[in-house]
Amino acid sequence: ALAACGSSSSSSDTIAAESEDTTPAADAPGTGMKIGLLYDITGRGDKSFNDAAAAGYDQAMAEFSGATFTESAPTGDEDRPERLKTLIEAGNGLIVCVGFLWTKDCGEAAAAYPEISFAIIDDVIDQPNAASLLFSEEQGSYLVGYAAALKSTSGKLGFIGGVRTDGIGKFEAGFKQGALAANPSATIEVKYATEPPDFSGFNDPAKGKTIANAMFKSGIDVIYHAAGGTGAGLFAAAMESGKAPGEIWAIGVDSDQYNSVAAENGQEYILTSMLKRVDVATYEAMKAYINGAPLTGIIRYDVSTDGVGYSIANSAIADVADKLEAVKAEIIAGTVVVTDKP
């Protein structure tokens, strides 16, 4: 499920630019191979979901310097088919589709072009030439929910979702369950920025700020977002709250947002982030293709493989890290089973 569709600094002409800038050396790893990446709206720059995919893309491009890499981002649903067609016609042998909003287009392409390998993040394409890269977001969200309840002094927590979908519901479900496991008396207020079919809730910092402001003013002191670019509004609200880090906290998602968000944009208020290793999934799909064994079928990333987890970049999380590691071990052992339904 899509956890982040954010704003981007990439231009809509990424296809031509990348192809021109990545001329391979004749004897470099991956020579002659072509790989395409289709971001979700609108590509690099969201400091969350898309940027995690970009990190995996950049790692593969650096390691397999003989291959030609092309990235592209849609500006909306209307230009998805054309961007996918462009990558197909350019001869890419692997196309990685980032986010469930690509499922229809990439699924139809996988059926029509069996000679091309496809990988989709956050959904399933049931074709023999496709890999479905899924995450147990509820497990990572359980851990940050547990941390939120331990760090809260009010017992009042908040969750901001980008769009109310089954996928984002996994984040909500895990966060609630983890928080209540740590503090059965905790209360969790849930707000979504938009409802389907309006997916603008993944890229609306102003709405995120409005929701977070109301939550902080109500006495909530820890808020977790699974809202992509909208989450920037949470960090802005924390900065403008008049309260210091430690009095209130924000929790990021997907990427380690303590490291990706600048100090002037609220870094010091970010207690931790639920890490969703889209970078690892993206890189592994590309590496497997370069090595001649493209991934296929369903591949799941969970806490047992560090496919999801929590960040420790902010030292403020250190005093509860031992408890979080113990809970993580219980999830891996199966003694704690995390629901993916709110």
Side-chain angles (χ1 to χ4, degrees), residues 300-318:
R300 182 169 294 279
Y301 296 83
D302 59 17
V303 293
S304 70
T305 61
D306 289 324
V308 295
Y310 64 96
S311 65
I312 58 172
N314 188 343
S315 61
I317 198 70

Side-chain angles (χ1 to χ4, degrees), residues 55-293:
Y57 174 93
D58 290 346
Q59 181 183 355
M61 187 163 56
E63 184 171 337
F64 307 113
S65 56
T68 299
F69 290 81
T70 303
E71 60 183 345
S72 182
T75 58
D77 289 340
E78 64 281 350
D79 66 338
R80 289 180 189 273
E82 185 61 31
R83 289 186 177 275
L84 178 55
K85 180 182 177 182
T86 300
L87 290 186
I88 291 170
E89 292 180 346
N92 287 281
L94 169 68
I95 298 174
V96 179
C97 307
V98 182
F100 72 86
L101 293 176
W102 280 109
T103 304
K104 178 179 181 294
D105 293 312
C106 288
E108 290 174 354
Y113 297 94
E115 73 281 8
I116 298 176
S117 294
F118 290 83
I120 189 164
I121 291 169
D122 281 350
D123 212 341
V124 175
I125 294 176
D126 187 14
Q127 294 292 335
N129 57 328
S132 302
L133 311 178
L134 306 179
F135 294 81
S136 296
E137 296 96 342
E138 70 278 4
Q139 294 180 352
S141 297
Y142 184 102
L143 294 173
V144 299
Y146 204 95
L150 293 178
K151 299 293 283 190
S152 172
T153 56
S154 69
K156 297 179 179 180
L157 311 176
F159 173 83
I160 300 175
V163 183
R164 193 188 302 273
T165 64
D166 289 344
I168 301 302
K170 295 166 68 178
F171 294 79
E172 176 192 340
F175 182 72
K176 285 179 174 177
Q177 191 178 345
L180 292 172
N183 177 9
S185 299
T187 60
I188 304 102
E189 182 177 349
V190 174
K191 294 288 186 183
Y192 282 86
T194 62
E195 303 282 340
D198 180 0
F199 287 91
S200 66
F202 289 122
N203 192 26
D204 193 341
K207 187 167 288 187
K209 183 178 176 181
T210 297
I211 295 171
N213 273 333
M215 286 185 173
F216 284 135
K217 288 178 181 177
S218 74
I220 289 171
D221 57 2
V222 186
I223 302 174
Y224 171 42
H225 89 88
T230 298
L234 164 61
F235 308 144
M239 289 182 64
E240 296 174 14
S241 67
K243 297 183 179 180
E247 293 182 87
I248 59 171
W249 289 114
I251 296 177
V253 75
D254 295 332
S255 300
D256 183 348
Q257 295 201 285
Y258 183 83
N259 283 334
S260 64
V261 172
E264 63 268 23
N265 294 326
Q267 178 195 52
E268 61 183 345
Y269 287 90
I270 302 174
L271 172 66
T272 185
S273 298
M274 196 290 281
L275 299 178
K276 178 177 173 180
R277 299 307 303 271
V278 173
D279 57 334
V280 172
T282 300
Y283 167 78
E284 289 184 348
M286 294 178 176
K287 179 181 179 180
Y289 172 72
I290 292 289
N291 289 339

